[in-house]
Amino acid sequence: MRSKVFGALASAAVLSFVFTGTASAVSGTASYYNDAGYGACGTQINAATEMLVAAPAALWTSPNPNNDPLCRKSIRVTHNGRTITVPIKDKCPSCPSNKIDLSQPAFASLADTSLGIISVTWEIV
């Protein structure tokens, strides 16, 4: 029971940050993907060639993701002293609230893709 309560509180803190900008950066993880097609914001994306990020599904608030406020924001990601800012153009349905899915070039600008997943801090800007 405690883990469900903690998870709900953590999600609430992240959601609070999305809309108020008052919470601190999220300590979490990042993986990468390289799919092409339409992203959750309704635009064509190519995660193999573009700098972008898929935000965790728990942060999306609109039934129609094309209209979600996240589609007008970016995420600032830091790993081992390197920081990038990438636009939110997609949703990560399998990501917990502290994990993001970077495009392959965005991930590669922070770490070697052979790592697959890295520890990061991130914040919506």
Side-chain angles (χ1 to χ4, degrees):
M1 187 76 146
R2 181 173 179 228
S3 63
K4 285 184 180 180
V5 171
F6 177 74
L9 291 174
S11 291
V14 172
L15 288 172
S16 170
F17 172 72
V18 170
F19 296 106
T20 66
T22 58
S24 60
V26 175
S27 291
T29 57
S31 56
Y32 74 91
Y33 72 119
N34 56 14
D35 298 342
Y38 281 93
C41 294
T43 58
Q44 285 275 349
I45 63 168
N46 187 339
T49 60
E50 291 180 59
M51 297 283 284
L52 61 92
V53 63
L59 301 184
W60 296 78
T61 59
S62 174
N64 178 353
N66 295 342
N67 297 329
D68 201 278
L70 284 179
C71 291
R72 295 178 293 281
K73 299 197 178 284
S74 295
I75 293 182
R76 183 180 306 130
V77 187
T78 302
H79 172 74
N80 282 348
R82 292 183 181 160
T83 300
I84 60 171
T85 301
V86 287
I88 299 170
K89 292 191 176 185
D90 210 357
K91 179 192 290 190
C92 180
S94 63
C95 290
S97 62
N98 68 336
K99 182 179 181 284
I100 55 175
D101 211 7
L102 294 166
S103 63
Q104 188 170 349
F107 188 99
S109 71
L110 295 172
D112 191 302
T113 56
S114 67
L115 294 173
I117 192 162
I118 55 175
S119 295
V120 296
T121 57
W122 59 272
E123 61 186 317
I124 296 172
V125 294

